[in-house]
Amino acid sequence: MADKTVKELADMVGKTASAVQQQLVDAGLPARAEGDLVTELEQEKLVTYLKQSHGQQEKRRISLKSKTTSTARVTGSSGKSKSVNVEVRKKKVFEKPDPEKMAEELAAREQAMIESQERAAKDAEERAATKKKAEERQAATLAAMRASLGSSKKSDDKNDDISTSVVVKKGGKATVEVKPKEQPKKKVAATKPKVETAAERKAREVREKEENRLREIETETRRVQAEEAQKRTLEQMRKMAGKYTDQPAAEVRKDEPLAEGLVGDALEESFEKERREIKRGTSSTSARGRGRRKNQDEREMKNRKNGLRSTQASQHKFEKPVEKIVYDVEISEQITVADLAQRMAVKAREVTKLLMKMGEIARESDTIDQATASLIVEEMGHNPVPVSDTKVEDDLQVAVNERSSNVQTRPPVVTIMGHVDHGKTSLLDKIRETKVATGEAGGITQHIGAYHVKTDRGVITFLDTPGHAAFSAMRSRGAQATDIVVIVVAADDGMMPQTEEAIDHARAAGTPIIVAINKMDKPSADPDRVLNELTAKEVVSEEWGGDTPMARISAKTGDGIDGLLELISLQAELMELEAPLDGAAQGVVIESRLEKGRGPVVSVLVKKGTLKQGDLVLAGEYYGKVRAMTDEHGQRIQSAGPSIPVEILGLPETPAAGSEFLVVTDEKKAREVADFRTNRERERQLERQNAMRLESMFDQMEQGDVSFLNIVLKTDVRGSLEALLSALNELSTDEVKVRVISSGVDPISESDVTLAESSEAVLLGFNVRADATARRKADAANMDIRYYSVIYGLIDDVKAAMSGMLAPEHREKILGVADVREVFRSSKFGAAAGCMVVEGTIYRNKPIRVLRDDQVIFTGQLQSLRRYKEDVNEVRTGMECGLAVRGYDVEAGDKIEVFEIQEFERTI
């Protein structure tokens, strides 16, 4: 449902515009005039209001019911088993979502998200403040400990000095370590043990007491610092886990494990080991501790090199998923059962079972539509994602368009169209100062040609299209690929069928039209007649108040051609033609052919970007790198910008004329798109063949035997092949049909001769020849190969061959009529009728009819014909005769009608 004006809506529903305007106001929509647009959403609101006003309620629920019946064997109390029919009924209800409720839920969800963000910000501020306070308390504690230890150091003896250091561990955690200074060992001479005095003993006891006190302070400080470090580690781990689970960090509890699995066990073991070392009072700075730490670091470095390993790494263990995995299943317009099952990670028989419950029988290789596949995916608990069949092509086109830049003005592309022999090619020859028309077979154009000409008003690209009736597809492609269409009309011939067709093609493509009235130099030229005929086709000249520019020219003398070029330049300036100069090139295939020694040669017209030698080109179903590039004169070039036609070499086959081409950078994507297009074309051909087989089978059942003319056709270019195939298909009748069993763009080969011989086909070549091997094979098989250079010669010969296959036409011709005046009966001869010939001649050996009251009552032969007593072979008008009818008795008043059946040959 597209946007429509109020007047269009009124015409569509068969009401007046005022009535539709009133209905729009009643539905709560703003008032508008007849020419104002009504959007699709407003149209839906209007339809909903009208349904409600007529008592119709909108169906918001759809129920799907399914029923399955199975048989179960049960055992009764007597021990006998019996069969029981089990019927399972399921009902699934789909409810249409309410837009208002959806809007409310969306608003509530957004509000909840905003509130959660505010709470998270507030919690972050509180945690930052708490952390800052903890750091301040820690700094104060460290300062107090340093001051306390400093005072103790002054009062102690030199041998009892204590050094305090703050060690910062990895991760930002500070730990205070109190270490006694190591004094160098002195050699003590062997002397007598000195007797300790009371003062010395008292000093020693005070010193030991102070050492014990400092040792207790050290142990307590280490324990407190270790507990705080463990709390901070747990807090940081909780925060990291909260980032991945999108949940607020929970409060740290001492009895709650940090994590599960191997990581959690390793952390708990590490913390427990550290707590045991703290309780034992062991120092990490001891030699034994340093050794253990060194060995542990070496093991950690080794594990880093070899990867993380554990005691359970070598054990095989399968953990069943806790929750069912839900997939987003991409579904194209047609998908096979096996592909659908693979995308849902289930077996194909599960999908076939579900299809059988829905009433459809399908195998793994069968295809199902998008709607059925979506129901299957939803039934199995997954999310269906419908995608288009052309998604691969669309993605590639989007990627190519993103690389386009540097938009500049481009030359116009002008297509010359018109009826055959109205001077289109002669006009281009005069503009280009060439003589192409003199070298054309039959004096008519049979290929689409592309040329770019440098004029005083800039560069203009011309496309020359054939004018013969068989080349309608070529003219349509020319109108689609152009910016301006020039319709050439002969002043002495006027409007012709192909002229009208060219106007229709230009209008369908939405292309501006310029009319060139040619052959003005002839004495029989009548431009006013041409203008009148164009006006009847709604092509009105600017001279007569219309909007179509017209130029009166002569391709022979060159008069008026400058005015035509000026009209083309003005029209191009009004259209403001622009195209990106940089980036990937895009365009259209004008023509393609197969040349011996060069391979496939493709003529393309660049529409965007710049085509360079070495680019990877995707054209239709084929892709390849541009090995060489030439202009229309055969000169080698390295690049071509927008609106420039070129011929390229490098594709493996000849693409269809009219297909789009583009330059890609990824060969993998190009191969993927080419394979997709090839498969799609193959499926279309199979569908057409199956349809033709069914149609031919039904036709034969209804009409009896149908004659077929088998043809093997080879042409020089793709455009001619398409035109000939279309023209030959149009020749088919109900009695004789044309069947092209093989066609191609290449010379006639030995395989073509073999195929034509086995299928009893006619071998035709259009602007191509057979090679030496094919000619020897055809001579040995006594087969005639027909060569043609003009299209209507080929079509006429095919018509003649089809005419020879038609059954002859039978026509009746009345030769004479005789009135029966009297009937004479004899026992010897039977009944004899006396007659008067009133019209024509009565022949004895011709079939007759007996008419009574102008109705045929008998058809047969004469037994005898006499005049007087003599047997005669014929009796003419106005003469009497006697005759006897074999096997029938005539009566007086009957009429004897003599006739003969004549055969006439039929033509197509």
Side-chain angles (χ1 to χ4, degrees), residues 48 78 343 570 576 605 786 793 798 814 844 894:
T48 305
S78 61
R343 295 178 185 183
L570 291 175
E576 297 181 353
L605 176 64
R786 298 291 186 92
V798 173
I814 298 174
R844 180 179 180 179
D894 292 347

Side-chain angles (χ1 to χ4, degrees), residues 215-228:
R215 195 175 294 110
E216 291 176 358
I217 291 173
E218 179 186 0
T219 303
E220 183 66 20
T221 302
R222 290 181 59 194
R223 186 183 65 78
V224 172
Q225 293 295 329
E227 290 179 356
E228 290 180 355

Side-chain angles (χ1 to χ4, degrees), residues 388-555:
S388 175
D389 282 346
T390 59
K391 183 176 182 296
V392 179
E393 296 177 299
D394 297 340
D395 294 344
L396 182 61
Q397 186 67 44
V398 170
V400 170
N401 291 336
E402 288 178 354
R403 301 198 301 268
S404 300
S405 60
N406 190 12
V407 178
Q408 295 182 4
T409 304
R410 65 174 178 85
V413 180
V414 181
T415 298
I416 309 296
M417 303 176 70
H419 192 70
V420 63
D421 201 24
H422 275 202
K424 300 182 296 299
T425 306
S426 299
L427 172 62
L428 283 178
D429 286 344
K430 194 65 177 178
I431 295 175
R432 299 171 58 223
E433 297 180 355
T434 56
K435 295 181 180 180
V436 176
T438 57
E440 292 180 332
I444 64 171
T445 302
Q446 300 180 111
H447 305 105
I448 186 169
Y451 321 96
H452 74 282
V453 182
K454 294 182 179 180
T455 65
D456 297 338
R457 298 166 183 81
V459 178
I460 301 176
T461 299
F462 289 98
L463 297 181
D464 185 15
T465 60
H468 194 273
F471 296 99
S472 176
M474 282 192 186
R475 288 190 291 274
S476 178
R477 287 197 300 270
Q480 293 290 338
T482 189
D483 301 316
I484 302 170
V485 172
V486 175
I487 307 293
V488 179
V489 186
D492 60 341
D493 205 6
M495 288 277 290
M496 299 300 286
Q498 273 64 59
T499 309
E500 297 180 1
E501 183 191 86
I503 294 173
D504 294 336
H505 284 318
R507 285 177 174 171
T511 309
I513 298 175
I514 297 176
V515 177
I517 304 175
N518 195 16
K519 300 185 180 180
M520 289 296 297
D521 56 316
K522 285 192 173 183
S524 59
D526 188 2
D528 293 335
R529 171 195 169 194
V530 175
L531 293 176
N532 288 326
E533 292 176 351
L534 289 172
T535 305
K537 195 61 180 175
E538 297 181 0
V539 179
V540 185
S541 171
E542 292 179 345
E543 300 176 0
W544 290 11
D547 56 353
T548 303
M550 295 190 183
R552 302 182 182 187
I553 64 172
S554 173

Side-chain angles (χ1 to χ4, degrees), residues 17-35:
S18 59
V20 176
Q21 290 174 346
Q22 184 61 35
Q23 289 177 352
L24 288 170
V25 174
D26 295 340
L29 299 174
R32 58 198 70 203
E34 294 184 4

Side-chain angles (χ1 to χ4, degrees), residues 779-792:
D779 293 339
N782 196 17
M783 180 180 293
D784 185 20
I785 302 177
R786 298 291 186 92
Y787 301 110
Y788 300 92
S789 58
V790 182
I791 188 169
Y792 50 73

